[in-house]
Amino acid sequence: MDVKDNIQNKADFPGQVHQTPGGGVLISKLDEVINWARANSLWPLVFGTSCCAIEMMSTASAKYDWSRFGFEVARATPRQADVIIIAGTIVNKMAPVLKRLYDQMPDPKYVIAMGACATSGGPFFYNTYSVVKGADHVIPVDVYIAGCPPRPEALIHALIALQNKIKAGGNIDKIHIEKQ
Amino acid sequence: MTNDELKIKISESFPSSTFEEGTEWITMLIDSTTWKDVALELSNSLLFDFLFCVTCVDWKTHLTMVYHLRSTTQKHIVVVKAKLDRENPRIATVSDIWRTAEFHEREAYDLFGVQFIGHPDLRRLFLTDDYEGFPLRKDFEDPVNMIKL
């Protein structure tokens, strides 16, 4: 479905607006509206450690333009970000930094592991002394993207998959972290 | 200066030096104990003012330090190789001749354990200070992170 149709038909808006004189009346479940709002304004954190970051920049740039789906504002601080896209290899020295950034993000927060390095340690240097074999050893991951590096289309697909996950009622309790 | 002219010049300065054959750049093979004198000579009289690569190679029987030098004024390049003992790799530092060697040598120490005599601040560069072992050596083992192939 084209994005424009989506906007015009309000296809995925979880509720009904009844036109009445003097304004509309909204009938819906509050949870669903909140999830819908969250899903359509995911702000990604700028976090790129290797080549995947270049692909992520391409996704943000004019040709692919992830602003169309509501990822307009790539924040340079975890305090204002909803989703962290792990674009690149995570090495042992980077792991505590990634953990700290994730901890500093306000709830609800989501994680996308982009590319082979972030999902499994990578296609060529997984058997080494320095690389963490997948970002899910450090923080919980919502969506994995295959590829080395994944094309911008794949990243957009993953972001839409995350949106669908949120719209389907994924509230923050679903990602349960034992805070010991 | 062409390679042949450079070779003649170097041979004049170091009559005992040997060269590798069939290389793109002039490659000197030296004894590691003479490295400091050779380096001073190369920088002073042959005008090599830019050390653009310092690396180490593990040949399992010994280590080799490889230094790539360029002259930014004369545009010639020389490669110097020095064999080191694998159990106790020691070689003089050249960080006082070319400042860039300071970090390069720290890197070589970090990953291969080469001791640079006279280095002002020889500690690890990439890895944490409490890291054990030298990961780019051929006999390096890390049972936690690495699968033995």
Side-chain angles (χ1 to χ4, degrees):
Chain A
M1 182 183 272
D2 195 80
V3 181
K4 213 188 280 179
D5 294 342
N6 218 347
I7 294 162
Q8 277 167 355
N9 304 339
K10 300 184 175 57
D12 58 354
F13 180 68
Q16 296 169 311
V17 180
H18 294 278
Q19 294 294 340
T20 54
V25 177
L26 176 72
I27 299 173
S28 174
K29 286 189 197 149
L30 195 57
D31 265 1
E32 285 188 358
V33 174
I34 289 170
N35 283 337
W36 174 82
R38 267 178 194 159
N40 286 309
S41 67
L42 283 171
W43 289 8
L45 174 73
V46 179
F47 185 83
T49 49
S50 358
C51 8
C52 276
I54 306 287
E55 222 65 23
M56 188 168 74
M57 293 169 210
S58 175
T59 316
S61 69
K63 188 169 179 182
Y64 293 95
D65 189 21
W66 66 12
S67 309
R68 294 176 296 156
F69 306 95
F71 310 106
E72 176 74 69
V73 206
R75 303 311 284 178
T77 163
R79 304 264 182 233
Q80 298 162 10
D82 302 303
V83 55
I84 179 167
I85 300 170
I86 304 164
T89 324
I90 301 299
V91 291
N92 288 327
K93 246 180 135 171
M94 199 66 186
V97 180
L98 175 65
K99 180 76 173 71
R100 190 183 319 142
L101 282 171
Y102 179 76
D103 288 344
Q104 285 175 348
M105 283 165 72
D107 278 333
K109 50 195 171 186
Y110 308 96
V111 180
I112 291 175
M114 181 180 180
C117 292
T119 53
S120 66
F124 30 73
F125 32 66
Y126 59 92
N127 193 21
T128 181
Y129 61 96
S130 56
V131 173
V132 177
K133 288 163 184 58
D136 47 6
H137 284 262
V138 187
I139 56 175
V141 174
D142 291 291
V143 182
Y144 295 88
I145 317 176
C148 176
R151 283 188 55 92
E153 290 93 331
L155 178 56
I156 287 176
H157 178 90
L159 288 159
I160 291 170
L162 179 64
Q163 285 187 334
N164 292 337
K165 206 170 165 175
I166 298 165
K167 283 173 191 165
N171 56 6
I172 54 171
D173 304 334
K174 276 206 172 175
I175 311 166
H176 184 63
I177 309 158
E178 289 288 334
K179 288 201 171 79
Q180 296 295 341
Chain B
M1 215 186 302
T2 64
N3 270 358
D4 295 337
E5 289 167 352
L6 184 64
K7 202 166 182 173
I8 291 159
K9 271 224 150 172
I10 291 174
S11 302
E12 282 169 11
S13 307
F14 313 105
S16 63
S17 61
T18 53
F19 295 96
E20 254 181 48
E21 292 304 319
T23 52
E24 182 190 354
W25 295 322
I26 297 291
T27 306
M28 292 173 68
L29 303 171
I30 59 161
D31 186 62
S32 60
T33 51
T34 64
W35 167 230
K36 192 78 173 192
D37 305 330
V38 172
L40 280 166
E41 180 69 20
L42 288 173
S43 105
N44 293 335
S45 60
L46 290 161
L47 301 170
F48 284 103
D49 54 357
F50 180 31
L51 175 71
F52 68 93
C53 186
V54 177
T55 184
C56 183
V57 186
D58 187 355
W59 291 100
K60 288 190 177 175
T61 51
H62 60 275
L63 298 177
T64 303
M65 282 303 296
V66 186
Y67 297 85
H68 286 70
L69 294 157
R70 177 189 282 125
S71 169
T72 53
T73 51
Q74 311 297 307
K75 309 289 183 211
H76 47 236
I77 291 177
V78 72
V79 184
V80 184
K81 292 185 179 179
K83 261 194 190 187
L84 300 180
D85 176 35
R86 206 166 177 290
E87 302 312 311
N88 184 22
R90 293 168 68 80
I91 192 163
T93 180
V94 287
S95 55
D96 48 343
I97 305 171
W98 300 286
R99 271 301 306 279
T100 182
E102 193 176 321
F103 274 13
H104 278 121
E105 285 172 354
R106 272 179 63 186
E107 181 189 359
Y109 164 71
D110 190 2
L111 301 171
F112 288 94
V114 179
Q115 293 288 337
F116 292 94
I117 303 151
H119 191 284
D121 181 25
L122 195 65
R123 56 195 169 92
R124 288 190 183 274
L125 178 65
F126 295 129
L127 300 166
T128 48
D129 289 336
D130 58 353
Y131 196 90
E132 284 179 18
F134 303 107
L136 288 196
R137 285 190 172 214
K138 296 279 187 199
D139 59 357
F140 176 78
E141 281 184 16
D142 185 351
V144 177
N145 294 311
M146 287 165 77
I147 312 152
K148 245 190 131 56
L149 296 170

